[in-house]
Amino acid sequence: MLDRVKVNIAGGDGGNGSISFRREKFVPRGGPDGGNGGIGGSVYAVATGNVTTLEWFRQRRHIKAERGQHGRAKNQSGAGGKDVYIDVPVGTLVYDMDGKQLGDLVEEGEVLKVAAGGVPGKGNREFATPTNRIPLLAEHGEHGERLDVILEVKLIADVGIVGKPNAGKSTLLAHISRAKVEAAPYPFTTKEPVLGVVLVGYDAFVAVEIPGLLEGAHEGVGLGHDFLRHIERTRVVLHLVDGMEEDPVEALRQVRYEMEEFNPDLAKKPYYIAINKLDIPEVRERQLEVKQAMQAASGRPVTFISAASGEGVEALVKALYGHLSELNQNQKPVQRTVLAKKERKSQDVEVVRRGETFMVSAPAAERLLTLPNFEDWRARLQLQSELAKMGVLEALEGAGIKIGDTVILASYEFEWE
Ligand SMILES: Nc1nc2c(ncn2[C@@H]2O[C@H](COP(=O)(O)OP(=O)(O)OP(=O)(O)O)[C@@H](O)[C@H]2O)c(=O)[nH]1
Ligand SMILES: [Mg+2]
């Protein structure tokens, strides 16, 4: 099962602005009519209850939104690129590669913008001013945001049902909810966590079955202990123990040990113990003995149930529900970030000097584009005036540029004059 994955996400690039002039009779160049580019599509993650894993990403490690179309003559703006919405399980955390959390999708339908589409480039029409009626500049669209992210699922549930394989976890979940589960008389029937909504009167809580745990799970025995991550956000743990276990107390100890090895905080969560398969005569016979031993060992509430017949199950559900209601009254809502948007720094100007050559790095200025014949002195003047507005000239002067030095800006190279 895939519940942690690295994905490369890219917003679509913005479309380029167009450089164009109206065709008018007897006028070599009419007014500027180059349209703007279209905005690039963005990539969003959407929390949905329809999936509980990131299996979908197994074959898709690169996700890219569509680019914006370029602007065209006659003031035609380019169309925006289509956004991409990717479905992730409720409870998905999004991190960047530095481990910074970008978002935490804890509710159905919550949306996180993971990579923004690029800002479109302006067409030359927008560069027209009363003193510059023949604008020879337009802008490239900005690149869409590109980043690697880690998606990690920590399912959101109130009660985590844990136990050794075959304890009857699925049978219980099927009894108390409408979850589609498979229960079978062999271990590891359940291979990924299963969520079920448990109705209690007009209220409800969510339970999750964690695949069976074996001793040594933290060392990779059985299905591995990775699933334990999914208990991190549950509020109560229900230990289900097979009443047919030779030593039920030891069975519980093993599972709790694995939890503690995974994350000591898990062992601090409040927990209930239910001994299952009470319908089997051998289990009923030693009910009292097992109950006393369990209570002595754990100091926690112990109930006996039969997930198969339903005996004792209602009382167990009520006890769990009562516990959750109490927690609800005393607990503040969980803090979470849904949208942590990164700041764009398109205003930054950086000049690096290498002898007589000055390399300018300025996202906004690099986007300026002009006609192929940049030699046109008017175009160069216009470019310089735009660079002045962006603070690039000032930065060059600050860096000590002299007449005759070379300036390199994106694909342009020109002499300082
Ligand atoms: N007699 C009896 N059998 C039960 C009861 N609960 C579960 N079983 C049986 O025990 C076996 C395992 O049940 P599951 O519900 O699949 O157990 P599980 O804990 O989900 O197992 P894994 O998902 O494989 O870890 C099945 O054959 C069930 O029919 C019960 O209360 N009484
Ligand atoms: Mg199961």
Side-chain angles (χ1 to χ4, degrees):
M1 185 192 83
L2 202 57
D3 57 9
R4 194 183 148 87
V5 64
K6 178 177 155 189
V7 190
N8 179 265
I9 309 254
D13 294 343
N16 298 343
S18 142
I19 301 178
S20 161
F21 295 91
R22 266 196 305 279
R23 284 174 201 283
E24 286 172 35
K25 268 186 191 159
F26 314 118
V27 185
R29 271 177 179 161
D33 71 350
N36 299 338
I39 189 166
S42 298
V43 180
Y44 298 89
V46 191
T48 163
N50 298 336
V51 290
T52 57
T53 76
L54 299 168
E55 214 49 55
W56 186 85
F57 293 91
R58 204 178 277 286
Q59 313 295 337
R60 303 173 182 86
R61 296 299 172 93
H62 296 272
I63 291 164
K64 192 173 190 332
E66 205 175 69
R67 68 159 307 140
Q69 299 296 305
H70 298 317
R72 275 163 296 148
K74 297 184 187 157
N75 295 325
Q76 295 182 77
S77 298
K82 261 202 218 92
D83 294 329
V84 170
Y85 290 84
I86 47 180
D87 283 348
V88 298
V90 174
T92 298
L93 294 143
V94 185
Y95 299 96
D96 68 13
M97 297 313 284
D98 299 326
K100 191 175 137 234
Q101 188 181 306
L102 304 179
D104 180 6
L105 299 158
V106 300
E107 258 164 48
E108 175 85 36
E110 252 169 13
V111 173
L112 172 74
K113 189 190 256 187
V114 186
V119 172
K122 288 182 202 152
N124 70 332
R125 179 194 45 180
E126 301 231 355
F127 284 85
T129 61
T131 53
N132 179 12
R133 277 180 292 176
I134 308 181
L136 299 169
L137 300 178
E139 267 180 332
H140 275 291
E142 242 179 68
H143 282 305
E145 274 184 292
R146 278 162 215 208
L147 69 167
D148 286 332
V149 294
I150 301 280
L151 304 177
E152 182 180 76
V153 187
K154 287 183 184 175
L155 293 173
I156 312 271
D158 301 296
V159 177
I161 307 175
V162 294
K164 297 184 75 172
N166 255 334
K169 301 179 291 298
S170 297
T171 309
L172 175 62
L173 191 62
H175 195 96
I176 61 178
S177 76
R178 291 215 260 164
K180 286 194 194 72
V181 291
E182 204 187 323
Y186 50 83
F188 301 119
T189 309
T190 307
K191 294 187 183 59
E192 47 191 61
V194 187
L195 291 169
V197 177
V198 183
L199 300 177
V200 187
Y202 291 107
D203 208 353
F205 66 84
V206 177
V208 59
E209 175 188 359
I210 306 295
L213 288 165
L214 282 182
E215 185 169 27
H218 71 278
E219 288 161 342
V221 178
L223 280 179
H225 70 331
D226 262 4
F227 300 113
L228 283 171
R229 181 185 301 138
H230 299 297
I231 324 178
E232 282 179 5
R233 302 217 264 199
T234 63
R235 298 187 291 161
V236 177
V237 172
L238 173 64
H239 285 285
L240 195 61
V241 182
D242 189 338
M244 292 296 280
E245 284 278 354
E246 236 178 81
D247 186 348
V249 173
E250 171 60 13
L252 174 72
R253 191 201 61 76
Q254 285 175 7
V255 169
R256 292 202 57 79
Y257 177 75
E258 295 306 324
M259 282 170 54
E260 194 155 338
E261 280 298 301
F262 180 81
N263 175 356
D265 286 342
L266 294 187
K268 291 184 199 137
K269 284 185 190 286
Y271 67 95
Y272 282 70
I273 302 164
I275 317 272
N276 191 25
K277 311 196 182 176
L278 183 58
D279 55 291
I280 301 177
E282 288 102 303
V283 177
R284 203 178 290 274
E285 271 162 33
R286 56 176 192 159
Q287 183 175 1
L288 196 63
E289 174 200 337
V290 171
K291 183 170 186 146
Q292 282 171 350
M294 266 304 189
Q295 263 166 353
S298 66
R300 295 293 307 164
V302 179
T303 53
F304 277 74
I305 62 163
S306 166
S309 75
E311 185 178 352
V313 171
E314 204 184 318
L316 173 65
V317 166
K318 281 211 173 114
L320 291 168
Y321 177 72
H323 190 103
L324 290 169
S325 315
E326 243 170 71
L327 287 180
N328 272 348
Q329 281 166 12
N330 303 330
Q331 246 179 17
K332 285 193 217 111
V334 200
Q335 280 238 325
R336 58 206 172 80
T337 27
V338 173
L339 220 162
K341 199 68 207 73
K342 281 161 277 96
E343 285 290 313
R344 297 185 80 95
K345 290 196 199 139
S346 60
Q347 310 310 329
D348 288 359
V349 178
E350 207 178 86
V351 176
V352 177
R353 179 179 184 165
R354 295 264 177 285
E356 248 97 90
T357 303
F358 291 74
M359 279 163 285
V360 180
S361 149
E366 282 164 22
R367 289 174 50 211
L368 286 172
L369 80 141
T370 179
L371 293 168
N373 58 337
F374 180 54
E375 287 309 309
D376 186 325
W377 60 271
R378 287 170 302 182
R380 295 177 60 173
L381 268 184
Q382 288 179 18
L383 180 64
Q384 293 199 358
S385 123
E386 288 302 316
L387 294 182
K389 280 189 219 156
M390 292 171 184
V392 173
L393 298 194
E394 208 181 325
L396 282 166
E397 275 158 10
I401 198 163
K402 296 186 307 299
I403 289 173
D405 288 347
T406 305
V407 177
I408 296 178
L409 167 69
S411 59
Y412 305 128
E413 185 173 330
F414 53 92
E415 203 170 283
W416 188 252
E417 43 199 44

